[in-house]
Amino acid sequence: MLPNHTVQFEKYSSIALRGDVLTREECREVLSTPNSEILGLLHAAYAVRKAFAGNTVQVQMLTNAKSGSCIEDCHYCSQSSISTASIDRHGILPEDKLVEDAHRASDSKAVRYCIVTSGRGPLDHEVDVIGKAVRRIKQNLPLQVCCSLGLLTKHQAYRLKDAGVDRINHNLNTSERYHSDICGTHTFQDRIDTINNAKKSGLEICSGGIIGMGEGDEDIIDLALALRDIGPDSIPINFLHPIEGTPLTNCNTLTPQRCLKVLCLFRFLHPRKEIRAAGGREYNFRSLQPLALFAADSLFVDGYLTTPGQPKNEAWKMIEDLGFTIAE
Ligand code: SF4
């Protein structure tokens, strides 16, 4: 007998709405939903999104506060030691520029401004610069500030918290099993340790992953379940935008439907969390981009670290056309 997809989809949303967890088999079913049934799956994910996040969309803008010249070998990253990609390289931006970019974020209707640096972890003088900028930003703008600075010691995490940083982004990226296939210079456990250091200092946590790096369904399910153990406040789901000069340049396997199924899985497994259709949204969802917001409730505007993205005016229009509103 053919599966009754409508009944299945309703079951997933009921499980999520009552706070239970999909079984591994149910997770597999979500990821293997036939493309022809994608609207039914999205409808079920939207019921969960609507229950906990309403129809609002959280907008964020990031600044590439230090670019390139990293000693790590993350295979997806254009800034790594093994990448030959042609990218802009610069040291930490001056404090004034970080503050200026925060004003740009505020003008972009962003609820959160993300300061991102390349490298294994920040140098102490970089934490100084960022801390001074964040103090000024928090005094003058109604913005939340998130920092994504690589591996953090406890001391660095406390210093950032003390300066007024709200949230730390540190992604698990993929499953523990697959991590060594995409990075050889630090471990999955290093990533967990940084998240724990940030948590202990009272910082909120943003942690997600990257889809489309050659991982299988089991890895995506493992990642989503590992994030349940961490309990981040926000979960950015990045979709690989293969960049020439990186080892994953030919890893071009994602389809818009696959991306939507992944977002739906994360919504069912993390019903109350802010889920972001993050890097690679424009490249991978193509004309189906608006549909991502029926499962996700958060996005970036005005581009990413080394790739351009949807300009803010177009993102605002997309949100309005969907009948959604931008979170204040
Ligand atoms: S640590 Fe960060 S900047 Fe360095 S290669 Fe990995 S992702 Fe890129």
Side-chain angles (χ1 to χ4, degrees), residues 32-51:
S32 54
T33 300
N35 288 345
S36 58
E37 304 293 333
I38 196 78
L39 283 181
L41 182 70
L42 263 180
H43 181 70
Y46 174 58
V48 182
R49 181 236 204 269
K50 195 172 174 201

Side-chain angles (χ1 to χ4, degrees), residues 70 72 74 76-77 80 118-119:
C70 183
E72 301 295 290
C74 307
Y76 52 85
C77 179
S80 79
S118 61

Side-chain angles (χ1 to χ4, degrees), residues 76 131 153 158 180 192 202 204 310 323:
Y76 52 85
T153 64
Y158 277 113
S180 58
I192 299 268
E204 295 175 5
Q310 189 179 38

Side-chain angles (χ1 to χ4, degrees), residues 27-301:
C27 294
R28 291 187 189 111
E29 288 168 6
V30 170
L31 292 178
S32 54
T33 300
N35 288 345
S36 58
E37 304 293 333
I38 196 78
L39 283 181
L41 182 70
L42 263 180
H43 181 70
Y46 174 58
V48 182
R49 181 236 204 269
K50 195 172 174 201
F52 298 117
N55 276 346
T56 60
V57 178
Q58 301 205 31
V59 169
Q60 3 260 311
M61 202 203 80
L62 60 78
T63 187
N64 190 353
K66 176 186 173 190
S67 183
S69 310
C70 183
I71 58 170
E72 301 295 290
D73 73 349
C74 307
H75 293 11
Y76 52 85
C77 179
S78 58
Q79 307 185 67
S80 79
S81 60
I82 55 171
S83 162
T84 58
S86 163
I87 55 159
D88 181 30
R89 291 168 211 276
H90 60 78
I92 188 81
L93 294 177
E95 181 188 324
D96 284 350
K97 173 70 173 135
L98 294 177
V99 175
E100 184 188 316
D101 284 352
H103 282 273
R104 264 197 320 116
S106 187
D107 293 343
S108 302
K109 303 187 183 178
V111 71
R112 194 170 298 107
Y113 170 56
C114 307
I115 299 174
V116 188
T117 56
S118 61
R120 181 178 170 87
L123 304 171
D124 283 341
H125 86 88
E126 293 167 350
V127 175
D128 287 343
V129 174
I130 291 166
K132 283 180 190 161
V134 171
R135 283 194 165 86
R136 285 170 57 191
I137 293 164
K138 297 298 283 188
Q139 275 166 12
N140 295 304
L141 291 169
L143 270 182
Q144 291 182 26
V145 179
C146 179
C147 286
S148 184
L149 312 178
L151 301 174
L152 289 177
T153 64
K154 270 187 217 152
H155 181 62
Q156 288 172 328
Y158 277 113
R159 289 188 61 206
L160 291 165
K161 173 71 181 169
D162 190 51
V165 172
D166 297 284
R167 191 172 286 191
I168 289 294
N169 164 261
H170 201 66
N171 294 327
L172 291 184
N173 280 345
T174 188
S175 68
E176 183 167 15
R177 185 194 69 79
Y178 196 61
H179 187 273
S180 58
D181 282 60
I182 54 134
C183 178
T185 48
H186 60 263
T187 64
F188 189 84
Q189 186 58 46
D190 289 331
R191 290 188 165 269
I192 299 268
D193 291 346
T194 285
I195 291 167
N196 285 336
N197 287 341
K199 265 186 176 174
K200 279 180 200 147
S201 68
L203 288 155
E204 295 175 5
I205 301 298
C206 170
S207 184
I210 309 173
I211 307 298
M213 299 190 292
E215 74 286 336
D217 285 5
E218 298 304 315
D219 296 302
I220 296 173
I221 296 166
D222 281 349
L223 168 66
L225 293 174
L227 286 167
R228 276 189 64 91
D229 293 338
I230 285 171
D233 299 278
S234 55
I235 303 179
I237 306 299
N238 299 280
F239 299 91
L240 183 73
H241 183 160
I243 295 177
E244 203 177 327
T246 65
L248 297 185
T249 185
N250 293 319
C251 202
N252 213 339
T253 56
L254 292 175
T255 63
Q257 292 89 349
R258 170 76 169 167
C259 298
L260 288 170
K261 289 171 208 173
V262 170
L263 282 183
C264 289
L265 176 68
F266 275 82
R267 177 55 69 197
F268 293 135
L269 286 175
H270 298 274
R272 293 172 179 272
K273 305 295 181 182
E274 176 194 340
I275 295 180
R276 191 170 314 131
R281 164 170 60 92
E282 296 85 345
Y283 179 83
N284 288 293
F285 285 85
R286 303 195 287 273
S287 60
L288 297 195
Q289 262 193 83
L291 295 185
L293 288 178
F294 286 100
D297 60 319
S298 175
L299 46 67
F300 284 113
V301 296

